[in-house]
Amino acid sequence: MSNGESCDNTPCTFKVPRKSELNVLITKQGCEPQQIRVTNKVAGGGGAAMAGNVLVGGIIGAGVDASNGSTLDLVPNPVEVTLACRR
């Protein structure tokens, strides 16, 4: 991954901050490599949670959630690929 993490076997599990954006490169000998861009988007309930924070928790609560990424989800999640391999 572009953040320096890697694994030798699949499936792999990584914990990354929800506000991350990174590239995932999948390689296997004899197969065409694939690169996937993982980015973030506002979570399904993120907008509602942000509005609730403004109403109940005030602007400070909304600012904390926005800065720590708690209103975001990573996409795609999970990353799934099928490699094209030579026979």
Side-chain angles (χ1 to χ4, degrees), residues 67-83:
S67 70
N68 70 15
S70 64
T71 60
L72 302 173
D73 279 336
L74 292 174
V75 290
N77 187 10
V79 172
E80 295 182 12
V81 299
T82 300
L83 295 174

Side-chain angles (χ1 to χ4, degrees), residues 28-32 83-87:
K28 180 178 179 180
Q29 187 172 351
C31 301
E32 292 293 321
L83 295 174
C85 301
R86 295 176 286 249
R87 295 181 184 188

Side-chain angles (χ1 to χ4, degrees), residues 31-68:
C31 301
E32 292 293 321
Q34 285 198 31
Q35 184 166 308
I36 308 294
R37 177 79 177 152
V38 177
T39 188
N40 57 60
K41 69 171 188 153
V42 175
M50 181 66 79
N53 253 337
V54 171
L55 293 174
V56 178
I59 212 71
I60 293 174
V64 168
D65 283 354
S67 70
N68 70 15

